[in-house]
Amino acid sequence: MKIKRETLYGYLFILPWLMGFIGLVLYPMIQSFYFSLNDMRITPHGLQFVYVGFNNFLNVWLQDMFFIQELLAFAVDTLIRVPVIVVFALIIAMLLNQDVKFKGLFRTIFFLPVIVASGPVISQLVDQGATAIPMLNQDVIMSILNSLFPTWFAGVLSDLFNQIITILWYSGVQILLFLAALQKIDPNLYEAAKIDGGSSWECFWKITLPTIKPLILINLVYTLVSLANSGQNPIIDLIYANMFNATRGYGFASAMAWMYAVIISLMLILIFLLFREKKSKRIN
Amino acid sequence: MPAKSATRVMHVLRNDQLASKQKLRLMRLKAHHFLFGFNERKGLFLTFIIYLLLLGIGFVYLYPILYMFITSIKSLNDLLDMAINWIPSSVYLDNYRQAYTVLNLRPALLGSMQIALFPTLLQVAISSIVGYGFARFSFPFKKLWFGLMIFSFIIPPQILMMPTYRLFSDLGLTGSLSAFTIPALLGQGLNSTIFILIFYQFFKQTPKSLYEAAEVDGANQLVSFFKIAVPMAVPAFIVAFLFSFVWYWNETYLTTLYLTSSSTDITTILIQLQQFESNYETLYPVAEAGPNRINEGIKMAGTVISILPLLIIYFFLQRYFVESVDNTGITGE
């Protein structure tokens, strides 16, 4: 059988990635799963594997007292942060897409976080209290929130206020993506809508939002993945600590990483289910 | 514009043929248009809100940087003085001198440059090749590979971390630059998927007829990649380079894993920043109630130093960065 030339060239061009995928993604994944089924000890004679089945997975849930606690904290935090970041990013992108004076200057400032935001820098800033807005009187806000909402929700909201700068700082890439999408919307669409008497508000819901809907999904996924994989995440510290822990070791840490991966995947599936394109409703 | 409106308003008011009720109605309509806009023109109200939000959010972004900079030039007395908030009594540069030594700046800067630059160059080159392959050719299992590429971005790196770490230490790569360049060379660098997607999107947009014309003229695939595709994709290359450089520069997770856990001379500015306090204490042992305590000013000076190179690069290349939004197919459709 003669291989088509196009096939040959296609594989030639993606060959580096293909090798990388097999060597640095697929193989480590299989290995990691194998680790998680074993009790691994570093002995003077090298690594020792003792097959323990799914015990490691059970132990992650039953023995580690921090894991569930951190996981719950992470889940609540993420469920609040992801939508807030994406909504903020959309608002900012729409503002930047307006015809305003000093557009270039504003864009330069707004893309700063993409450049500057990194783990140690942000944690230094948070330590110094540079990320809380000093003008807002915290006590007044707290008391207002407490009178309006149940205590746990008020706590969540005031947390949000405290982290507002950090949250904004995590939204650099998302703003970029939204802005690029907004600029691709045909201005004629808006013109036609305006002639038919549509207000800006209607235009937003009927034109802007449906057009950038795929980008919302991408941004949600990106935000979740970047939050989940950031070095500031306590669960990752926990996995890292267990990896070099004498009594637990690689096997336990692998099991924990897999459980974490399952939780993240569940969240991703949730996002996909909420935002998937409903085929029947589409006109085109 | 206001002067013109004013004369129009006067015109309406002086018009004797209109009843006062009509005048009032017209005035109200004009005021409404002025405040809330009409058709294409935005009203004063909306413009005001847009600028208010832009300035407010802009301030939120600038505030930590301003705060960081101001704190870094405060002396200890200024820091303790509650009355001094934004304008220090004098520019105190000693913080920077101390931060310079604590950060171990010269080797750290060199290390950061190496770790950001070399993998970035490889990553951008490989991503463009792979992106071209996906965009230009159709071959069996293409959809599968494409899906797996996106999948490799989504799986948490923690799963791969331990086996990869073991693999690298078996191969003797940990503690060296190769731990970063080899994954980049194999298209598995930091966020490689995003770069491949950018190039994929870009090459998809170039008209097929160009390549066909080149083929008719006898160019083979490699020639048409380097002579046609690459020169047309310059904006995409700049964006990919910038992003990749910044991401590698800001990476602490992998650098900590590969560089601190094994004996090596390579260190980066951000690793040094993470260990800032402990480094400071070994350099300047704390005498009881002595003057050598670490203070905010010194920490902030360290932070300023660590982001300064990126700020300088951004300052020079920001035009491309900001414009990139307009002309790269950065969004996958």
Side-chain angles (χ1 to χ4, degrees):
Chain A
M1 193 186 96
K2 200 168 153 255
I3 303 167
K4 268 170 71 184
R5 271 190 48 188
E6 202 169 6
T7 309
L8 189 72
Y9 276 119
Y11 274 98
L12 204 64
F13 272 96
I14 68 159
L15 188 66
W17 173 83
L18 205 57
M19 276 161 47
F21 179 76
I22 291 167
L24 294 171
V25 179
L26 202 61
Y27 174 63
M29 254 179 81
I30 295 165
Q31 223 181 0
S32 155
F33 191 66
Y34 174 67
F35 286 174
S36 69
L37 298 177
N38 283 278
D39 192 16
M40 286 173 67
R41 286 292 143 79
I42 300 163
T43 61
H45 315 290
L47 280 170
Q48 257 187 354
F49 288 81
V50 181
Y51 183 77
V52 291
F54 285 93
N55 264 355
N56 278 326
F57 289 94
L58 278 178
N59 287 345
V60 167
W61 292 105
L62 299 177
Q63 280 191 359
D64 195 303
M65 47 191 181
F66 297 113
F67 185 66
I68 295 179
Q69 200 182 326
E70 298 284 9
L71 199 64
L72 275 177
F74 167 77
V76 171
D77 209 41
T78 313
L79 284 180
I80 295 164
R81 272 193 186 198
V82 169
V84 170
I85 289 177
V86 172
V87 169
F88 258 113
L90 179 57
I91 293 172
I92 292 171
M94 284 181 55
L95 285 174
L96 286 178
N97 198 32
Q98 301 284 333
D99 208 11
V100 290
K101 292 203 173 77
F102 310 114
K103 203 171 174 179
L105 180 72
F106 279 123
R107 281 194 188 176
T108 309
I109 294 172
F110 281 37
F111 293 158
L112 263 181
V114 182
I115 305 292
V116 181
S118 66
V121 172
I122 285 190
S123 64
Q124 284 281 355
L125 288 173
V126 171
D127 278 354
Q128 303 301 322
T131 51
I133 302 174
M135 290 70 171
L136 295 178
N137 192 335
Q138 306 277 338
D139 297 333
V140 174
I141 293 176
M142 259 318 277
S143 64
I144 293 173
L145 290 176
N146 270 328
S147 63
L148 286 176
F149 302 106
T151 328
W152 68 271
F153 193 63
V156 165
L157 279 182
S158 71
D159 257 11
L160 215 59
F161 270 110
N162 284 332
Q163 299 170 346
I164 199 79
I165 293 188
T166 333
I167 285 178
L168 280 175
W169 272 61
Y170 273 113
S171 52
V173 175
Q174 289 87 330
I175 296 175
L176 215 67
L177 289 173
F178 273 141
L179 195 53
L182 285 176
Q183 277 172 347
K184 281 194 184 153
I185 301 178
D186 191 354
N188 290 336
L189 274 176
Y190 289 109
E191 217 166 283
K194 285 269 160 68
I195 288 169
D196 286 348
S199 67
S200 305
W201 181 248
E202 281 168 322
C203 282
F204 171 74
W205 290 103
K206 296 273 162 67
I207 300 175
T208 314
L209 217 52
T211 325
I212 61 168
K213 199 178 164 197
L215 254 289
I216 296 178
L217 177 64
I218 290 175
N219 267 335
L220 285 170
V221 172
Y222 178 85
T223 312
L224 178 61
V225 169
S226 65
L227 277 180
N229 297 346
S230 88
Q232 309 312 106
N233 193 332
I235 297 178
I236 287 176
D237 289 343
L238 202 64
I239 295 172
Y240 194 68
N242 277 319
M243 191 172 154
F244 295 109
N245 187 321
T247 55
R248 287 179 164 158
Y250 278 8
F252 186 85
S254 292
M256 193 180 259
W258 272 101
M259 289 325 298
Y260 183 54
V262 168
I263 304 284
I264 301 288
S265 314
L266 284 179
M267 286 183 173
L268 283 173
I269 290 170
L270 187 75
I271 290 177
F272 272 112
L273 285 180
L274 283 175
F275 274 83
R276 72 167 166 215
E277 306 239 339
K278 291 185 186 75
K279 289 255 158 59
S280 53
K281 274 177 89 177
R282 286 189 70 186
I283 302 159
N284 299 333
Chain B
M1 200 62 188
K4 212 172 161 191
S5 325
T7 49
R8 276 208 205 126
V9 169
M10 289 311 288
H11 188 73
V12 172
L13 284 177
R14 285 211 191 110
N15 195 337
D16 295 331
Q17 288 168 332
L18 292 168
S20 58
K21 223 177 188 176
Q22 270 175 316
K23 273 182 192 168
L24 196 68
R25 201 183 59 84
L26 270 174
M27 292 300 296
R28 270 174 58 189
L29 201 64
K30 280 214 183 297
H32 190 269
H33 285 173
F34 182 61
L35 279 178
F36 298 102
F38 180 64
N39 275 354
E40 280 305 292
R41 270 190 47 226
K42 277 193 223 57
L44 185 71
F45 188 65
L46 192 61
T47 319
F48 178 72
I49 287 192
I50 287 173
Y51 277 101
L52 193 72
L53 279 174
L54 278 175
L55 285 173
I57 297 169
F59 174 74
V60 167
Y61 281 132
L62 278 181
Y63 174 77
I65 292 177
L66 278 179
Y67 177 90
M68 184 163 70
F69 183 69
I70 302 258
T71 313
S72 75
I73 56 169
K74 277 183 182 171
S75 66
L76 190 59
N77 288 334
D78 282 0
L79 283 170
L80 294 175
D81 193 341
M82 294 299 277
I84 294 177
N85 220 344
W86 283 105
I87 303 162
S89 60
S90 64
V91 177
Y92 182 75
L93 291 176
D94 216 37
N95 288 334
Y96 281 93
R97 198 183 51 74
Q98 284 195 335
Y100 179 87
T101 37
V102 174
L103 277 177
N104 208 356
L105 193 66
R106 213 174 285 216
L109 189 64
L110 191 72
S112 275
M113 279 311 244
Q114 280 179 337
I115 284 189
L117 191 63
F118 295 122
T120 292
L121 290 176
L122 287 172
Q123 161 143 303
V124 171
I126 295 298
S127 305
S128 68
I129 291 172
V130 175
Y132 183 80
F134 274 122
R136 179 85 178 79
F137 307 104
S138 59
F139 43 87
F141 304 119
K142 180 171 147 175
K143 284 235 167 84
L144 174 75
W145 298 127
F146 202 73
L148 284 174
M149 185 182 71
I150 290 163
F151 169 74
S152 70
F153 174 66
I154 291 171
I155 46 166
Q158 293 71 43
I159 287 185
L160 310 178
M161 184 176 79
M162 283 168 272
T164 316
Y165 178 73
R166 249 171 51 101
L167 184 72
F168 281 4
S169 60
D170 284 350
L171 296 172
L173 297 176
T174 49
S176 74
L177 201 57
S178 315
F180 299 92
T181 48
I182 287 179
L185 192 64
L186 293 175
Q188 300 295 336
L190 219 52
N191 292 337
S192 264
T193 303
I194 293 181
F195 299 113
I196 295 175
L197 283 177
I198 288 178
F199 281 111
Y200 169 78
Q201 196 61 35
F202 203 90
F203 289 134
K204 263 232 120 110
Q205 283 168 356
T206 50
K208 255 201 156 125
S209 50
L210 268 176
Y211 301 113
E212 278 158 11
E215 256 170 67
V216 168
D217 288 348
N220 65 23
Q221 296 297 339
L222 278 178
V223 172
S224 64
F225 173 68
F226 282 110
K227 287 275 159 74
I228 299 172
V230 172
M232 276 173 53
V234 170
F237 275 98
I238 291 173
V239 180
F241 178 82
L242 260 173
F243 268 101
S244 174
F245 190 86
V246 166
W247 277 332
Y248 267 108
W249 183 281
N250 284 337
E251 174 63 37
T252 51
Y253 186 61
L254 289 176
T255 45
T256 323
L257 186 67
Y258 292 141
L259 296 181
T260 52
S261 50
S262 56
S263 58
T264 174
D265 292 335
I266 304 177
T267 181
T268 70
I269 289 186
L270 287 176
I271 289 182
Q272 294 293 319
L273 191 67
Q274 270 183 328
Q275 305 162 345
F276 198 74
E277 266 171 70
S278 57
N279 283 357
Y280 185 87
E281 271 155 30
T282 46
L283 263 180
Y284 302 96
V286 182
E288 199 58 47
N292 268 342
R293 292 296 295 269
I294 189 165
N295 62 45
E296 288 175 21
I298 301 168
K299 278 195 210 164
M300 286 291 119
T303 316
V304 170
I305 291 177
S306 75
I307 61 169
L308 205 58
L310 288 182
L311 283 181
I312 292 170
I313 293 174
Y314 184 54
F315 184 75
F316 283 111
L317 291 182
Q318 59 97 2
R319 193 166 60 85
Y320 296 102
F321 198 75
V322 171
E323 277 173 10
S324 70
V325 182
D326 302 343
N327 51 23
T328 15
I330 211 171
T331 50
E333 248 121 293

